[in-house]
Amino acid sequence: MTNAAVKVATAQFPVSEPRSWAEFESGLAGWVELGAADGTQLLVFPEYASMVLAALFDAPVRQDLMAQLGAMQGLRDAYLELHARLSQQHAVHILAGSFPWRVDGGRYVNRAWLFAPDGTRAFQDKQVMTRFEREQWGISRGDPARVFDTALGCLGVAICYDAEFPGLVRAQVEAGAELLLVPSCTDARAGYQRVYVAARARALESQCPVLLSPLVGEAPWSPAIDVNVGIAGVYGPPDRGFPDDGVIAQGCEDAPGWVRARLEPAATREARRNGQVLNFQHWPEGETTDPVARIEMN
């Protein structure tokens, strides 16, 4: 990360039913304007926040999971250009709500785009699909994991379920990530808790902040995002330079809004260098390749 403090905001973003592209654009612009207030430098939106756009289609498409995927492709260029424009207009980095993206071969992946104020953009694809994605929706694994070198430092993105796989996130950390972004979409308290616990664990193991952004609210018209629950938060390791409980900032359950925090890169680096514990440094010791003995005690 940069040596200067970084102001971040992570969205507890509500589902909606826009009646037109103009209505969607106006709503998103309002969210970005509010989020970027007071010099905030990074905004994080949830997994599948783009799926509110399915409200623009006629009833047969709205009710058909597969038809929605095809119809969404006609909106993806406008979706990218809108976020790019808002990023430049407000001088803020934006992780856009992930989008079901058609790739070569007609497959669909879950793709989250990151936009920088200088006009550059890049994406992270989800690596591990949930049962709903693979068994009902036909979403598959995309391009491999990566990290993003930005003016704010090196960022990693673990989309929802991906955060529950420590080896995947560890690879991003070893590639240089000092700040992790976890956009999520969960339809049950248990699902949210799994991602929440994973985000907290990744902050502990990696000794760096993690931003969690959930989709919230109900969209009974949508078979993809009909129910959404969660709490946005910014979490760190319970160690020197961070709160004792690791909670830097946290929202209220299912209530739309921005959760803000001011992050000190020096705290991450010092925790990794000289924390009360050294999870970041000691990780290889927990990755033993020694065979595990099974002891009979009957």
Side-chain angles (χ1 to χ4, degrees):
M1 296 175 70
T2 176
N3 290 325
V6 178
K7 291 184 176 181
V8 302
T10 183
Q12 207 159 295
F13 190 71
V15 293
S16 61
E17 190 177 0
R19 292 163 295 182
S20 66
W21 174 266
E23 182 177 324
F24 169 78
E25 182 174 333
S26 175
L28 183 65
W31 266 82
V32 171
E33 181 177 11
L34 181 62
D38 197 29
T40 297
Q41 298 154 281
L42 172 65
L43 303 179
V44 181
F45 285 98
E47 179 184 37
Y48 288 129
S50 64
M51 289 306 300
V52 300
L53 288 170
L56 305 183
F57 309 137
D58 60 23
V61 174
R62 281 162 55 126
Q63 295 163 13
D64 186 324
L65 279 170
M66 298 309 297
Q68 284 183 13
L69 293 179
M72 287 285 288
Q73 306 314 299
L75 299 173
R76 68 187 200 180
D77 288 345
Y79 188 76
L80 295 187
E81 293 312 311
L82 173 59
H83 284 84
R85 175 165 53 80
L86 292 172
S87 173
Q88 293 177 286
Q89 178 183 342
H90 295 281
V92 64
H93 291 73
I94 299 175
L95 182 72
S98 71
F99 198 104
W101 202 269
R102 187 164 57 210
V103 296
D104 292 345
R107 294 186 306 111
Y108 289 93
V109 301
N110 182 356
R111 179 164 291 180
W113 286 87
L114 180 66
F115 298 85
D118 66 1
T120 57
R121 66 184 73 167
F123 63 83
Q124 175 63 64
D125 289 340
K126 192 170 186 177
Q127 300 296 288
V128 186
M129 302 303 108
T130 62
R131 292 192 65 183
F132 172 74
E133 286 173 311
R134 67 178 71 201
E135 296 175 14
Q136 297 181 52
W137 211 6
I139 307 293
S140 58
R141 182 175 185 144
D143 287 359
R146 54 191 63 182
V147 295
F148 306 92
D149 283 313
T150 75
L152 310 180
C154 188
L155 314 180
V157 178
I159 301 174
C160 199
Y161 194 37
D162 284 354
E164 299 179 33
F165 296 87
L168 193 163
V169 176
R170 179 65 188 187
Q172 293 174 306
V173 170
E174 290 181 343
E178 294 184 299
L179 179 60
L180 300 171
L181 315 181
V182 179
S184 73
C185 174
T186 50
D187 64 358
R189 300 289 168 208
Y192 159 70
Q193 286 293 332
R194 287 193 294 270
V195 180
Y196 166 74
V197 169
R200 300 290 306 273
R202 303 297 82 82
L204 184 154
E205 296 162 356
S206 304
Q207 294 185 279
C208 71
V210 176
L211 277 61
L212 174 59
S213 172
L215 202 60
V216 297
E218 297 185 2
W221 56 268
S222 171
I225 52 168
D226 50 343
V227 179
N228 309 274
V229 299
I231 302 172
V234 182
Y235 306 106
D239 209 332
R240 296 189 182 106
F242 294 91
D244 288 345
D245 62 359
V247 180
I248 300 170
Q250 190 166 261
C252 298
E253 189 171 10
D254 297 340
W258 286 106
V259 173
R260 302 178 184 276
R262 185 175 185 271
L263 303 178
E264 297 285 350
T268 295
R269 293 168 183 158
E270 182 61 13
R272 288 178 170 184
R273 186 190 72 84
N274 190 33
Q276 292 173 315
V277 289
L278 296 172
N279 305 77
F280 176 75
Q281 294 185 34
H282 295 162
W283 178 274
E285 296 179 32
E287 289 286 279
T288 179
T289 57
D290 296 336
V292 175
R294 183 166 180 169
I295 309 301
E296 293 290 344
M297 298 185 67
N298 295 329

